[in-house]
Amino acid sequence: MSSIPVVDFAPFLASKTTPNDESEQQKQAVAAAILDSFKRIGFVYLVNHGMAQSEIDEMFAVSKSFFALPLETKLLAPRPAAKTHHRGYSELGREKVTQPGDTDAYVPDTKESFECGADNDAMPNVWPPEEALPGFRAACDAFYARCYELEQNILRAIALGFRLPEDYFLASHPPQQNQLRLLHYPPVSQASLEEGTARRMVAHTDFITITLLFQDDVGGLEVEDPAQPGVYIAAQPIPGAVIVNAGDLLKRWSNDVIKSTKHRVRAPPTAAKDGVTPARYSIPYFCGPLPDTVVDCMPGTFDPSQLETKRYAPITAGDYVMHRLADSY
Ligand SMILES: O=C(O)CCC(=O)C(=O)O
Ligand SMILES: [Fe+2]
C-alpha cells in the first residue's frame, strides 16, 4: 500500500538566508523529495513550512466563528448564482436526515463553505458586512497572503525538482488567481457516513496547479492509492503539517509525470459520540495560473527529438478550465 510522504521543508527555506553549496544541495534534496511524492501519489505532507501553527489555529478559530453565525447572517454573503463565481457563502446539501434515537437532532447538511480570493473584475469577493463578524475579512486576507508566500516556495521547489529555473512557475501564478475556501462539515450520523446515505465530500481531483490543505484534528480525508485504484488510504491529520496536492492542470503540464489523485472525505476515525461524528473543519487554498498562460508540457518531461512523447497539445489555462467545466456540467 502506498503512503503519503512527509517532507521537512525547513532546509528549503533556510537556503535563502544561508546560500552556500551545502545549503543548495539540501534545497535540491527537498525539491526532489516533493517531486518524488508528486510522481508517486500526487500528495505530500510538508512540515516546517514557515507558517506558524498559531496562525493556522487562528484561522480555524475565525472559520468556526463564521460558521457559528446564524444562517441568515451567513446568507448576507451569498455565493453568486453563476457556477464559475467561486465566492461567498454556500449552504450545500439541504437534505436533512432524521437520526433514530436522537429526538431533537437531525443529520444536517453535509458541508457548508465560504470562498474568497483576491478581488478581480471577473470574480469580485462577496463579504458579509463587517459588523456581522468584525475582523473576518482582514483575517481571511491575511491568511490568503501567507498561503501565497508558501505557494511560491512550493512552486520554486517543483521547478527545481525538474531542474528548471526556480522561477519557472512564478510569473504565471500571481496572487490574484487563487481561492481560499473555508469548509465546515457539521456533525452527522456515523452510520449514514459509513453507509453512504450522507457524504462529506465525494471523490474528486482538484482542477488546477496545486492545493494547500489545512485540516483540523478530526480526520476523514482519504486519498486513492495509485497502486490500487478504488482503494483509499487515510490522510490523517499531522500536527503542524500542511497537505499539498497536485491538480489536473499540473498533471497535464508535467506530461503526466505528476499525478493528480482522487481524494474524498468520509467518516472520520475519531470516535463518534452517541453515533454522531464530530464536526470537521478544513481550509483548502487553490493555486492556479493566469488564464492566458500557455500550458505546454514542461522541458524534461518529454523527448524533444520525439515530439510524440508529448501527450498533450499546448492549451491556455483559461481554455483548459472552460473545457473542464463543460465536461462536468
Ligand atoms: O475537506 C477536505 O479535507 C478536502 C477538501 C477538498 O478536497 C476540496 O475542497 O477540494
Ligand atoms: Fe480537493
Side-chain angles (χ1 to χ4, degrees):
M1 176 165 284
S2 311
S3 61
I4 303 172
V6 179
V7 172
D8 183 351
F9 206 46
F12 192 94
L13 298 175
S15 67
K16 261 192 191 162
T17 37
T18 48
N20 56 46
D21 282 356
E22 199 192 328
S23 69
E24 280 307 310
Q25 264 174 20
Q26 287 179 355
K27 184 177 182 181
Q28 190 66 48
V30 173
I34 292 173
L35 181 56
D36 186 54
S37 307
F38 271 12
K39 284 181 182 173
R40 282 196 283 139
I41 190 163
F43 274 72
V44 66
Y45 287 97
L46 285 190
V47 292
N48 300 318
H49 42 69
M51 283 175 75
Q53 191 57 39
S54 55
E55 53 186 323
I56 297 167
D57 292 345
E58 179 57 28
M59 193 62 229
F60 273 96
V62 169
S63 171
K64 277 186 192 173
S65 308
F66 173 77
F67 289 116
L69 292 171
L71 181 62
E72 60 271 24
T73 309
K74 291 183 276 193
L75 286 172
L76 294 174
R79 183 180 169 149
K83 279 198 173 106
T84 49
H85 195 148
H86 299 281
R87 297 288 187 262
Y89 172 70
S90 307
E91 184 213 10
L92 288 180
R94 283 152 206 267
E95 194 185 55
K96 294 180 165 98
V97 183
T98 334
Q99 154 120 341
D102 221 343
T103 45
D104 59 355
Y106 56 83
V107 179
D109 313 337
T110 54
K111 67 177 185 302
E112 53 180 344
S113 64
F114 179 83
E115 296 171 296
C116 62
D119 253 325
N120 55 43
D121 292 344
M123 226 189 275
N125 275 319
V126 182
W127 297 105
E130 182 62 19
E131 61 278 14
L133 187 59
F136 177 67
R137 179 178 179 164
C140 291
D141 282 345
F143 194 74
Y144 183 101
R146 293 288 287 136
C147 287
Y148 182 63
E149 285 175 41
L150 177 54
E151 172 199 346
Q152 287 179 298
N153 284 320
I154 296 168
L155 291 176
R156 287 190 175 101
I158 298 169
L160 273 187
F162 280 109
R163 308 261 168 195
L164 293 169
E166 203 174 306
D167 61 358
Y168 188 78
F169 293 107
L170 295 188
S172 59
H173 287 77
Q176 65 268 27
Q177 283 307 305
N178 296 342
Q179 185 192 330
L180 181 68
R181 176 188 279 168
L182 310 180
L183 276 166
H184 172 218
Y185 303 88
V188 65
S189 110
Q190 180 91 4
S192 64
L193 277 184
E194 282 166 358
E195 289 156 9
T197 48
R199 285 181 167 156
R200 285 203 151 162
M201 189 174 283
V202 294
H204 65 281
T205 55
D206 291 348
F207 245 44
I208 39 179
T209 313
I210 54 170
T211 305
L212 315 185
L213 179 60
F214 303 88
Q215 56 173 332
D216 67 10
D217 59 6
V218 171
L221 176 68
E222 300 178 350
V223 175
E224 190 175 39
D225 182 350
Q228 306 176 78
V231 175
Y232 280 76
I233 55 178
Q236 69 270 61
I238 297 181
V242 58
I243 288 178
V244 186
N245 66 286
D248 298 339
L249 189 64
L250 186 58
K251 173 180 185 286
R252 179 180 174 129
W253 216 330
S254 71
N255 202 23
D256 291 350
V257 168
I258 285 176
K259 291 194 167 65
S260 170
T261 307
K262 272 199 216 156
H263 50 286
R264 65 187 187 189
V265 183
R266 285 281 177 102
T270 324
K273 200 167 166 281
D274 300 327
V276 178
T277 65
R280 177 173 183 270
Y281 294 83
S282 67
I283 308 179
Y285 176 81
F286 301 101
C287 312
L290 289 166
D292 63 0
T293 306
V294 176
V295 175
D296 194 7
C297 298
M298 51 182 97
T301 64
F302 61 94
D303 177 351
S305 68
Q306 285 181 296
L307 286 182
E308 63 279 13
T309 55
K310 258 190 190 186
R311 296 185 179 197
Y312 303 98
I315 192 172
T316 65
D319 281 351
Y320 173 80
V321 169
M322 259 170 40
H323 281 126
R324 279 297 308 263
L325 286 175
D327 282 350
S328 11
Y329 291 107

